[in-house]
Amino acid sequence: MNDYLMNTRELGHTGQQVSALGLGCMSMASDYAYGPSDEREAVATLHRALDLGITFWDTADVYGFGANETLLRPVLATQRQRVFLATKFGFVADGQGGTRLDVRPERVAAACDASLQRLGIDTIDLYYAHRIDPAVPVEEMVGAMADLVTAGKVRFLGLSEASAASLRRAAATHPIAALQSEYSLFTRDVEAEILPACRELGVSLVAFSPLGRGLLTNPGPQLAEQDLRRTMPRFGEEVGDANAPLVAGLHALAQAKGISTAQLALAWLLRQDEHLIPIPGTKRRKYLEENAGAAGVALTGAETQQLQELLAAHPVAGARYGEGALRLVNR
């Protein structure tokens, strides 16, 4: 595709403009996420993102247990002024190959400093709490995060997978620029309470996994042994068969419009709210370029109605997380 300047959107009501489509970096330096990674291709993808104007990048300290942030460091060393960088804290190694949640206020500053060191930068543009812990008052956690803003280490604050109630409590403590949550044609839970709360409070909804972790574009993926999706009920074989008519219908609608299914799904999301920012994740340039094309797709009212009718006719089967992970969502 030809290079072009990606259009932008305001992050919440901050006045900060970011690319209308972001880039999820989780899989770039971690085989556990979505199969084997290729560092050279991942770095090339980051540079290609800049060519396309996709400058809103999302990572976290737990992705690859720091390796993901470290991967970004050499690119940021020369391109820092072009990137709006978001990272997250909250999950720590449990000593048994897994993770546990730790968002205690006394840990916030150390987690931020460690991310800054791995990234090789002085300031994080958007700093998220990765999850809400009911045992830690939201006000205390956000208060500790606000201290990072005062110290100049962080510009804006965000939450990830928080409920509308937690968002309101956080926003009463310090302005919240963004709430990150899964949102796609496959996962629409946020429409009931969370998206309205974001609109009410002037918070951007940053939609991760906007392509259903690949199910919208590849309904029967062959998953590597360590692939994270093996833990997700939605990727079970029987569930995949149940969702096949929906995926086929989406493909047909996209084909009729002359676009890819990924572009259709992303264009639908972009239409939901002017402050909504999808962050499709990829570690390959060809998918990045395909996703970028969605920013130029306009859906008609009739096409949107067709999508709604298709979704109503084929409800999505399968939970997006296993039981343990779901307990950490929307708290």
Side-chain angles (χ1 to χ4, degrees):
M1 66 179 294
N2 296 325
D3 293 358
Y4 63 92
L5 183 62
M6 172 68 63
N7 51 325
T8 63
R9 292 188 161 191
E10 184 181 6
L11 183 72
H13 289 174
T14 65
Q16 172 69 51
Q17 294 290 315
V18 299
S19 54
L21 283 175
L23 173 61
C25 300
M26 182 176 77
S27 64
M28 288 188 166
S30 176
D31 290 352
Y32 95 96
Y34 302 128
S37 59
D38 179 337
E39 184 171 323
R40 290 184 63 182
E41 176 62 18
V43 170
T45 300
L46 291 169
H47 284 289
R48 183 64 176 139
L50 293 176
D51 292 341
L52 297 170
I54 299 175
T55 56
F56 180 20
W57 297 358
D58 180 89
T59 184
D61 59 3
V62 73
Y63 299 161
F65 294 105
N68 203 270
E69 290 180 329
T70 301
L71 176 74
L72 300 183
R73 181 180 180 126
V75 181
L76 293 172
T78 59
Q79 304 294 332
R80 178 67 185 103
Q81 297 306 311
R82 301 176 66 187
V83 177
F84 185 90
L85 186 69
T87 192
K88 300 179 279 293
F89 81 97
F91 286 111
V92 296
D94 63 6
Q96 300 177 351
T99 61
R100 60 181 176 84
L101 186 61
D102 187 352
V103 294
R104 293 172 300 158
E106 56 267 32
R107 191 183 159 265
V108 172
C112 179
D113 287 343
S115 286
L116 288 169
Q117 183 175 13
R118 283 189 293 267
L119 292 161
I121 60 178
D122 297 322
T123 305
I124 295 166
D125 295 309
L126 176 58
Y127 199 44
Y128 291 103
H130 214 147
R131 293 290 189 275
I132 300 296
D133 184 349
V136 178
V138 170
E139 294 82 359
E140 293 182 12
M141 179 190 73
V142 173
M145 295 169 69
D147 290 341
L148 300 174
V149 177
T150 302
K153 295 180 179 182
V154 169
R155 295 179 60 204
F156 303 110
L157 301 185
L159 303 176
S160 178
E161 293 275 44
S163 68
S166 290
L167 176 60
R168 289 191 175 92
R169 289 172 59 188
T173 304
H174 186 277
I176 301 297
L179 172 62
Q180 182 178 112
S181 195
E182 185 170 353
Y183 188 23
S184 70
L185 286 165
F186 262 24
T187 302
R188 301 177 62 182
D189 313 59
V190 299
E191 293 177 352
E193 295 182 356
I194 293 172
L195 185 54
C198 287
R199 290 172 177 148
E200 171 193 331
L201 298 168
V203 174
S204 277
L205 181 68
V206 175
F208 73 82
S209 297
L211 302 177
R213 301 181 190 270
L215 273 180
L216 285 167
T217 54
N218 183 15
Q222 297 298 310
L223 304 181
E225 188 64 31
Q226 70 274 32
D227 195 303
L228 179 66
R229 290 172 291 183
R230 284 185 174 272
T231 68
M232 301 175 179
R234 195 166 286 174
F235 284 83
E237 185 174 343
E238 292 182 1
V239 175
D241 292 341
N243 287 325
L246 172 57
V247 175
L250 292 170
H251 178 73
L253 289 177
Q255 194 172 39
K257 193 172 176 63
I259 59 177
S260 72
T261 308
Q263 289 169 341
L264 175 68
L266 292 171
W268 176 84
L269 266 179
L270 287 167
R271 184 184 171 95
Q272 301 310 301
D273 190 273
E274 63 180 343
H275 292 288
L276 189 148
I277 306 162
I279 52 168
T282 185
K283 50 193 171 185
R284 296 183 178 89
R285 284 169 285 181
K286 66 176 183 177
Y287 297 127
L288 175 83
E289 292 171 353
E290 178 184 348
N291 294 342
V297 173
L299 297 180
T300 67
E303 290 165 340
T304 301
Q305 181 62 32
Q306 285 181 295
L307 272 172
Q308 297 286 43
E309 292 172 358
L310 181 65
L311 291 166
H314 302 287
V316 176
R320 62 186 178 108
Y321 286 134
E323 185 177 341
L326 274 177
R327 284 198 294 266
L328 298 175
V329 172
N330 295 340
R331 302 199 294 188

